[in-house]
Amino acid sequence: MPDSSMRCCCLRQLGRVDYASALQLQQQLAADRKQGLIPDQLLLLEHPHVITMGRNGHAENLLADDDTMARAGIAFYPTDRGGDVTYHGPGQLVGYPILDLRDWKRDVGAYVRAVEETIIATLAEYGIAAGRIPKLTGVWVGERKIAAIGVHLSRWVTSHGFALNVSTDLSYFQYIVPCGLTKPVTSMAALGVRASLHEVGAKLAVHFARIFDCEMLEN
């Protein structure tokens, strides 16, 4: 039985979902959350190859033209999240928390740090010592970025989220300057860890529930 004294968060492990469908789902859930119709949500999924540009994005950080992306089978979407340009694709665990921060902390910085801490704690279970780099968003192993974060808030309800490279084909990052930074990227697989997205997602959900002080319910 769920603990009635704790906030609830519904976990949805969705498998592979195209970006447009996932964005539409996020927007619907965020609207429902604003109206108090549903509890907090955590969507975990992977996308087919796609490059997205945040509202602070710079065109020069997209290194491929439309024809090149089409030949590589990469879709492109501008988005309303924070951050610059990023890549999503198979083997990458994407998380979209739909949270009402009025029920947690009305602090965007604390929210981003908590998402980073969730990923750091998850990686620690696999023996990967990840951390932060001052003044940069995301999660790093040394100087290599293993997880990107870009969020959107509307009336204190979050959308968009994070992307953790589990077994991602890192060659696809050649088409962008990830998040506007010229630092290299890495993945759990590149660091010698073999794990499925579902398994990593399940471990991450446990840490998410602990760090955000909520009861995680499988939807």
Side-chain angles (χ1 to χ4, degrees), residues 186-202:
T186 191
S187 68
M188 293 173 66
L191 296 170
V193 174
R194 301 289 170 181
S196 71
L197 290 186
H198 193 275
E199 176 195 316
V200 176

Side-chain angles (χ1 to χ4, degrees), residues 118-155:
T118 298
I119 297 167
I120 290 167
T122 303
L123 291 170
E125 288 210 39
Y126 292 95
I128 296 173
R132 300 178 177 90
I133 292 179
K135 299 183 180 179
L136 298 179
T137 301
V139 176
W140 308 76
V141 179
E143 290 289 308
R144 294 178 177 271
K145 194 169 200 176
I146 195 168
I149 296 173
V151 305
H152 176 73
L153 262 77
S154 173
R155 286 164 37 200

Side-chain angles (χ1 to χ4, degrees), residues 2-30:
D3 182 346
S4 59
S5 67
M6 295 183 73
R7 292 177 299 110
C8 290
C9 183
C10 291
L11 173 64
R12 300 177 183 230
Q13 293 245 35
L14 301 177
R16 189 171 297 184
V17 183
D18 71 84
Y19 189 81
S21 298
L23 182 60
Q24 186 175 30
L25 177 59
Q26 283 188 78
Q27 291 168 339
Q28 181 60 56
L29 292 174

Side-chain angles (χ1 to χ4, degrees), residues 5-219:
S5 67
M6 295 183 73
R7 292 177 299 110
C8 290
C9 183
C10 291
L11 173 64
R12 300 177 183 230
Q13 293 245 35
L14 301 177
R16 189 171 297 184
V17 183
D18 71 84
Y19 189 81
S21 298
L23 182 60
Q24 186 175 30
L25 177 59
Q26 283 188 78
Q27 291 168 339
Q28 181 60 56
L29 292 174
D32 290 347
R33 186 69 189 97
K34 287 175 190 174
Q35 297 178 60
L37 300 176
I38 58 172
D40 289 339
Q41 310 280 312
L42 176 60
L43 315 184
L44 295 178
L45 52 103
E46 69 176 333
H47 287 309
H49 300 296
V50 61
I51 289 171
T52 68
M53 179 80 76
R55 60 180 180 270
N56 304 319
H58 298 86
E60 62 268 24
N61 291 326
L62 180 59
L63 305 179
D65 59 24
D66 292 346
D67 288 345
T68 301
M69 287 194 291
R71 285 196 301 274
I74 303 171
F76 175 79
Y77 287 91
T79 80
D80 61 359
R81 63 167 170 77
D84 205 298
V85 64
T86 196
Y87 160 79
H88 300 306
Q92 187 185 68
L93 180 65
V94 174
Y96 294 134
I98 312 294
L99 311 183
D100 189 335
L101 295 188
R102 293 174 300 180
D103 294 340
W104 184 66
K105 298 176 184 175
R106 298 188 189 215
D107 186 327
V108 180
Y111 170 63
V112 173
R113 299 291 88 75
V115 171
E116 289 172 345
E117 186 59 37
T118 298
I119 297 167
I120 290 167
T122 303
L123 291 170
E125 288 210 39
Y126 292 95
I128 296 173
R132 300 178 177 90
I133 292 179
K135 299 183 180 179
L136 298 179
T137 301
V139 176
W140 308 76
V141 179
E143 290 289 308
R144 294 178 177 271
K145 194 169 200 176
I146 195 168
I149 296 173
V151 305
H152 176 73
L153 262 77
S154 173
R155 286 164 37 200
W156 290 107
V157 172
T158 68
S159 57
H160 298 284
F162 62 86
L164 170 61
N165 297 328
V166 178
S167 56
T168 319
D169 182 346
L170 300 177
S171 70
Y172 280 85
F173 284 95
Q174 70 182 296
Y175 299 110
I176 64 170
V177 179
C179 302
L181 301 170
T182 53
K183 291 180 179 294
V185 292
T186 191
S187 68
M188 293 173 66
L191 296 170
V193 174
R194 301 289 170 181
S196 71
L197 290 186
H198 193 275
E199 176 195 316
V200 176
K203 290 182 184 296
L204 184 142
V206 171
H207 291 291
F208 186 95
R210 173 179 58 82
I211 290 166
F212 283 94
D213 193 27
C214 60
E215 180 89 9
M216 192 65 72
L217 306 174
E218 188 94 38
N219 193 307

